[in-house]
Each structure stands twice: as C-alpha cells, then as structure tokens.
Amino acid sequence: QGEGPRVAAGRASGRGRPVSPSGARGLSLMPDAAAPDVDLASRGLTRYAVVGSLGVALAVLLYSRAGNSEDVDGLESTRDSWNFVLSALGFAWMLAKIILFMAVILLGFLVTRQRSILYVPTPPGTTRSPGDNPGHYKNPQNWGLPYEDVRIRTEDGTVIHGWFVFHPMIMSGDEAPYTFVYFHGNAGNIGHRLENIRDMHQRLKAHILIVDYRGYGDSENGTGPCEKGFMMDAIATYRWLIENSRSEASTKYKTRTDRILIFGRSIGGAVGLRLFAHLLKEKLKGGEEALPLPAGIVLENVFTSLADMAVEIFPFLSFVRVLLRSPLIFDEWKAAESLEFLAKHHHHWCCCLLGGLLDQIVPPEQMVKLHAIVKQQRPQVLKFFRFPTGGHNDTPARGGQQYWESFKKFMDGVTESEAERISWCKANL
C-alpha cells in the first residue's frame, strides 16, 4: 500500500491513464491500492473541452485563410516570393496568437478551479470519513495496531483528527523508538494509508503520528484545503508531538523529542519540507519558544513545485510558464526552495529520498533534482533509493523487500549518527 488514492496525470501528460474495472473515466481501483485513483487532468479540463477549443481555433484559422485566398492566388500567379514570405509569416503569427489566446483562456479556467483540482478529500467511489471506509481501512485496530485517537487544535482554531500508532512500553522497554510524523498525499483519508502504516510500524519498529488535513477525513473544514491551512495543521501536529513527549503523560509508550522524523509522500513531502524549513527558521532566530528540530525527513515521490507539476499535467501551460506563480497560483508548494534552505543552513540532519521509476504523476526527474539540491551541501546522512517497478502510490508495495531494506539502511544511519547530531544541535541551535 502506497499513498492510497493515486492522482493520475492521464493522457494530457502523455503518460497514459489508469482504467477502472468498471470503465468509469477518472476512477481506478488498483489491485494493490486501498482507494480509487483520481485523474487530475480530467478534473481540470475534460478531453472534450480541449478538443472542442482546438476545433474552434482551427475553424478560425481556416476562415482567416479563406479570406486571404485571393491574395494567395495572386501570389501564386505572380510567383512573388517576397509576398509569399510575408504571407507565411502572417500565417505563423496568426497561429501563434490563436495558441496563446487558447492557453490564456484555458489557464483562466484552471486558475478558478485549481484548489478543487488539487485537493481531493473524497475521490470518486469513496467516502470522506475513515469510519466509512471499507473493510480494514477504518482504523488501526483492524490491523491489530495499538493506537490513540488524536484531536489537535490548530492556530486558527480548526480541530484536525489523527492517529498515534505506537509500540507499547512493555515491548519497547526503556528505549523510545523513533516517531514518524506522516503527511499523506492529496487524495483520500488516513484510513487509506493503514497498510503502509502497519508496515512502517512493524518493519521499522517506529511510532507513527498521522493526521488528516483540514477538510479531509474527520478533521474540521476550517478554511478548507489550502497551503496556508495545511501549514497550520502541520505545525500544530508537530507541536502536539513535542508537548506530548515533554509531558511524559502516557504510561503506554515512550517518545523523545530528539527522535522524530518527518515522512511525506507526494504533496505530503512538500508539507514536510515547508514544516522543517519553518522550524529551522524559528530555531535560527533564537526564540525561546522555538521547537526542537526533527532528526531528518523522508521524501517519497515528491515534486519540486506546483508550477512544475501544472506544466507536467497540462503541457499547454508551458506557453505561459512565466505566469505560473502567485497570485495566479494560489498554493505554490515550492518544495525545492524549502529543501535548498535546509541544505544551506543546516548540516546535522538526515535525508532519505525514495523514488519510483514508473511514477506516472511526478516525473522521476523531479526527485533527481531534489537529490541534486541536497547533495550540494550534504547533510549528516543522505540516501537516495530508486525502485524500477515503483509507481507514484505503490512504491512500497512494488518495491517489496528491497524498499524496506533500503528504508532500514537509512534508519541505521540515523541511529548511528544520533549522538553526534544531538551534541551538535545542543551546542549550536
């Protein structure tokens, strides 16, 4: 089980579209996924809308050419090459204007719908609440996992819901396991990630804190899904874990503030990177309320920025690439920029990148770019694992034993470097 619902770029990206067993467009139930796939391209611009628009543009072009037929005939009769060149240039200019006009019109359409396209709390064929999920995807108890139901109040008063899946103290003894703060992808709820949570819990011997963003699952709507809101959710979630660890209120499990890792898949990786960069900025300011930094971050199939993904999903936007920024792009999700800040200002941290080479959503090249950024100023531990059969959401399932052995290698590096990292952070941050 990977990310749960997979968001497919569809034919607009030239990478193919998953097809559901029932043949329903935009919906696919993958054999190793717990929830349906959602076709982002079909949510933004239907095939018929694009073809129809191109048809109109072609009709306008042909009409314009017909209007100039007399000139063309004259051109052919007089064999005036200079006039022919001018006519050809005029034709090319008119075609360019039509293409640009079409791109701007379609861009305007996408701008008004961008958040409804990007954020998919309830993919087709699913329900919003984890309690209404099918079978074992309702709660961790169905997988035999010990857990606590968590409600966290964010800065703006929105209450988000999550689960803290833990290793009981009787099993872990005096040693506190590492805790992953898990940020999931853009579609579905935390229940769709339960199989993946089970595997992380068992194979990595770690606690997992996972929450649904505002507007997802059993979390309140608040401002609705958006970058600013997601960041309030992420900061509140991390603060809850720190305060819970400091209070030592639980008699069921042990946690430590210096044994926290962020895990982010797809857009969750962008959330995690922005959270890590925010925590580091607060720490560098030297404020007393600055929270302890996580030991590191794990990124799985993460994009470089939303603008880069927009061009990938809707290739015609490349004509207006320079415009793809705020205020036209409401939520920019500049993951690469956050990673660059981390690499430049912090060295005693750990970073792991997990990429599926058959990812049909985020081009594998974008993970390569993220790796190149962090490699320029290497952190304490850096690993980059690529899995030939891994897709966007099913890299853990497709990667199988190789995936978990690779993940475990990274965790071994985190553990081995722990003493040096803690000592440096205490002395310098």
Side-chain angles (χ1 to χ4, degrees):
Q1 172 61 20
E3 177 189 313
R6 182 177 54 162
V7 181
R11 299 188 187 278
S13 66
R15 294 172 181 265
R17 169 179 297 165
V19 179
S20 69
S22 63
R25 184 170 172 275
L27 174 64
S28 177
L29 292 172
M30 305 303 290
D32 52 4
D37 293 21
V38 179
D39 184 348
L40 271 186
S42 70
R43 289 175 61 84
L45 296 171
T46 65
R47 188 188 325 171
Y48 304 108
V50 174
V51 172
S53 299
L54 292 176
V56 171
L58 181 60
V60 171
L61 177 62
L62 292 176
Y63 178 80
S64 300
R65 290 289 294 163
N68 294 330
S69 59
E70 184 177 340
D71 294 335
V72 174
D73 291 338
L75 186 88
E76 293 176 347
S77 63
T78 60
R79 304 291 182 179
D80 190 335
S81 60
W82 176 246
N83 286 339
F84 179 81
V85 171
L86 290 178
S87 178
L89 290 175
F91 176 82
W93 173 240
M94 181 174 57
L95 180 62
K97 287 192 294 184
I98 290 175
I99 293 175
L100 180 60
F101 177 76
M102 286 292 302
V104 171
I105 292 297
L106 294 177
L107 173 62
F109 180 76
L110 289 175
V111 165
T112 60
R113 297 192 57 190
Q114 59 184 277
R115 282 180 174 156
S116 64
I117 295 170
L118 177 61
Y119 305 113
V120 193
T122 309
T126 71
T127 54
R128 173 169 161 172
S129 173
D132 295 327
N133 285 350
H136 291 298
Y137 299 99
K138 297 178 182 293
N139 61 62
Q141 185 177 356
N142 297 133
W143 296 83
L145 298 172
Y147 79 104
E148 287 185 349
D149 209 55
V150 174
R151 303 278 174 175
I152 301 171
R153 186 173 297 277
T154 67
E155 179 185 349
D156 67 346
T158 303
V159 176
I160 60 174
H161 171 255
W163 295 320
F164 184 73
V165 180
F166 59 87
H167 285 270
M169 196 178 301
I170 191 173
M171 298 179 64
S172 60
D174 295 332
E175 194 71 13
Y178 273 84
T179 300
F180 282 102
V181 183
Y182 187 134
F183 296 112
H184 64 70
N186 70 321
N189 58 58
I190 55 178
H192 298 136
R193 282 79 188 176
L194 276 168
E195 189 171 355
N196 188 216
I197 292 171
R198 186 276 310 272
D199 289 342
M200 293 177 72
H201 182 266
Q202 292 184 354
R203 294 175 179 268
L204 304 178
K205 307 302 180 185
H207 302 319
I208 300 99
L209 172 61
I210 185 171
V211 295
D212 265 322
Y213 312 113
R214 59 187 59 211
Y216 284 69
D218 290 334
S219 296
E220 295 179 354
N221 289 332
T223 57
C226 61
E227 184 171 9
K228 182 178 179 180
F230 277 23
M231 290 315 302
M232 285 191 283
D233 299 342
I235 293 169
T237 299
Y238 191 82
R239 183 179 297 278
W240 179 91
L241 179 58
I242 294 296
E243 292 176 350
N244 189 61
S245 298
R246 286 173 172 171
S247 67
E248 299 182 348
S250 177
T251 58
K252 299 178 182 178
Y253 54 81
K254 281 190 174 183
T255 56
R256 279 174 43 177
T257 60
D258 54 11
R259 287 190 172 179
I260 297 175
L261 290 162
I262 296 171
F263 176 86
R265 180 176 291 123
S266 192
I267 199 172
V271 175
L273 283 170
R274 277 214 56 193
L275 171 63
F276 202 159
H278 167 80
L279 295 170
L280 179 57
K281 289 175 183 177
E282 293 299 308
K283 202 71 173 176
L284 293 174
K285 289 178 183 178
E288 294 182 359
E289 296 185 359
L291 299 174
L293 297 179
I297 189 168
V298 179
L299 305 171
E300 186 174 308
N301 297 327
V302 178
F303 52 79
T304 52
S305 71
L306 194 59
D308 292 339
M309 282 304 301
V311 172
E312 175 65 25
I313 296 173
F314 305 108
F316 69 87
L317 291 178
S318 60
F319 293 105
V320 290
R321 178 64 176 82
V322 69
L323 301 177
L324 299 182
R325 60 183 66 185
S326 181
L328 286 183
I329 300 293
F330 301 155
D331 302 327
E332 296 186 88
W333 289 118
K334 297 180 179 179
E337 184 177 290
S338 296
L339 184 59
E340 188 172 1
F341 176 84
L342 285 171
K344 184 177 180 180
H345 295 92
H346 190 27
H347 304 292
H348 283 70
W349 61 294
C350 307
C351 182
C352 179
L353 298 95
L354 304 168
L357 295 182
L358 296 183
D359 191 337
Q360 293 184 328
I361 314 304
V362 176
E365 294 79 13
Q366 294 199 20
M367 285 289 286
V368 174
K369 290 179 181 178
L370 293 177
H371 178 247
I373 290 173
V374 72
K375 187 172 64 173
Q376 290 178 2
Q377 294 174 296
R378 298 180 69 92
Q380 193 179 24
V381 177
L382 174 61
K383 299 291 185 182
F384 184 20
F385 302 107
R386 310 180 76 187
F387 305 95
T389 59
H392 185 64
N393 308 302
D394 57 10
T395 296
R398 301 291 187 183
Q401 188 65 24
Q402 180 191 1
Y403 175 92
W404 294 108
E405 288 178 355
S406 300
F407 208 144
K408 185 64 168 56
K409 287 180 182 178
F410 169 71
M411 292 302 297
D412 289 342
V414 173
T415 303
E416 292 168 2
S417 62
E418 179 180 275
E420 179 185 351
R421 180 173 58 257
I422 293 174
S423 175
W424 186 90
C425 288
K426 284 182 178 180
N428 296 276
L429 292 174

